[in-house]
Amino acid sequence: MGPPGANLFIYHIPQEFGDDELANAFQRFGRVLSAKVFVDKATGASKCFGFVSYDSPDAAQSAINTMNGVQLGSKKLKVQLKRDNKQNKHY
């Protein structure tokens, strides 16, 4: 987890993306500390959402400005700041 304002919540991640593909898609905006695609524990299938954490809020804002609404696969990404006051809600 990065500093406040540097953590993104990403929806509509392509089904075939794993953690590495997610990190690769977002690394051009800054140093990615972590990238996690959530998967269904029973089936192993992607839930098509996840988190990317950067080392700076500027990198996160740049990623939002560029990647929100971008089409990857058949869906358009929804990229927003993760609310820091609701940490670990989705685990």
Side-chain angles (χ1 to χ4, degrees):
M1 184 95 116
N7 303 293
L8 300 179
F9 193 39
I10 301 155
Y11 302 89
H12 309 307
I13 297 169
Q15 185 79 41
E16 64 274 12
F17 269 43
D19 297 349
D20 290 343
E21 290 83 5
L22 183 61
N24 289 340
F26 281 84
Q27 68 184 1
R28 69 180 190 251
F29 305 103
R31 191 161 75 86
V32 172
L33 300 178
S34 65
K36 181 72 184 152
V37 175
F38 283 78
V39 297
D40 185 295
K41 286 183 172 67
T43 66
S46 171
K47 291 187 175 183
C48 299
F49 70 87
F51 296 107
V52 171
S53 294
Y54 289 102
D55 62 356
S56 78
D58 287 344
Q61 194 58 55
S62 180
I64 291 169
N65 292 343
T66 303
M67 297 297 283
N68 189 43
V70 165
Q71 186 142 349
L72 273 188
S74 62
K75 294 183 178 176
K76 289 186 178 178
L77 293 180
K78 180 177 178 187
V79 183
Q80 64 187 43
L81 281 177
K82 182 176 181 287
R83 291 192 194 99
D84 291 305
N85 61 348
K86 293 186 178 180
Q87 290 177 353
N88 301 328
K89 181 178 182 245
H90 297 281
Y91 291 99

